[in-house]
Amino acid sequence: MNKQELEKIKQKALEDHIPIIMDDTLEVVAKILQEVKPSRILEIGTAVGYSAICFSEYLQPNGRIDTIERDEERARQARKNIKKVEVEDKIRIYEGDAVEILPTLQESYDVVFIDAAKGKYPFFLSQAIRMSHKGTVIIADNVLYKGYVMGDYNKHKQRTAVRNLREYIAETTNNEYLETEILEVGDGLAISKKK
Ligand code: SAH
Ligand code: MG
């Protein structure tokens, strides 16, 4: 992969205020990917493709990432970026709302990365579990949402997001088939392994 191009993609995304994966979060996810050695990764929330491109380095030969983005302009940019770093044979972009696209997917994934609308996390989780197998790791970014989730904060305009993130944490923690860890890395990272 062309690291110089990747760095340019990252800088442009930061300039454009696109919420790409934070460096410390990426480090943690990269470690998990090195352990799992995935062939199939599902990502919900492509943005401009930065995280998918980073993850593609850890795919097994012939592995593939399916990633979903509902914003047309971002999906277009992601396609361009993926071409630039020459990983277009490893990443498939689904353009549209993940709420509609996920139920149409009938695959089994080794890793799922949830990084989209916070209010939909419980639904994304149910879909991720449906497409999991023993050993699948489901990772969700931004679960602590700037500290709102753990605080007694519920009067904000983002309260629906906060309520759904709390539900996500409760469901992953209480689900007897999942082993879950919540890390304070970045904006909060939930890591759930299917038993
Ligand atoms: N994973 C990316 C960042 C994703 S930012 C990276 O680290 O590089 C979150 C993205 O999710 C945004 O681009 C937003 O348009 C998209 N998104 C939010 N809700 C969505 C939904 N319901 N379906 C598909 N995409 C969604
Ligand atoms: Mg994120």
Side-chain angles (χ1 to χ4, degrees), residues 19-21 43 45-47 50-51 68-71 74 96-98 113 115-117 124:
I20 57 169
I21 190 167
E43 176 181 72
T46 319
Y50 176 71
S51 53
I68 309 174
E69 176 55 53
R70 71 176 169 193
D71 183 279
R74 285 190 179 174
D97 193 323
F113 183 61
D115 193 19
F124 296 156

Side-chain angles (χ1 to χ4, degrees), residues 19 115 141-142:
D115 193 19
D141 193 20
N142 309 95

Side-chain angles (χ1 to χ4, degrees), residues 21 25 29 32 42 44 111-116 118 121-122 124-125 128 137-145 165 168-169 172 180-183 185-192:
I21 190 167
T25 307
V29 176
I32 294 168
L42 173 64
I44 308 171
V111 172
V112 181
F113 183 61
I114 301 173
D115 193 19
K118 298 174 184 74
Y121 271 33
F124 296 156
L125 176 66
V137 181
I138 301 169
I139 305 168
D141 193 20
N142 309 95
V143 291
L144 298 178
Y145 198 13
L165 290 171
Y168 183 93
I169 290 171
T172 50
T180 297
E181 226 185 332
I182 312 283
L183 303 185
V185 67
D187 197 20
L189 195 68
I191 303 165
S192 307

Side-chain angles (χ1 to χ4, degrees), residues 1 39-41 52-53 55-67 82 86-93:
M1 177 188 312
S39 292
R40 307 285 288 113
I41 299 176
I53 291 168
F55 299 166
S56 71
E57 249 198 288
Y58 302 94
L59 282 172
Q60 292 293 102
N62 297 319
R64 203 182 63 232
I65 302 178
D66 291 341
T67 181
I82 286 162
E86 299 174 347
V87 291
E88 63 266 45
D89 52 339
K90 296 183 178 186
I91 300 172
R92 178 196 285 169
I93 299 174

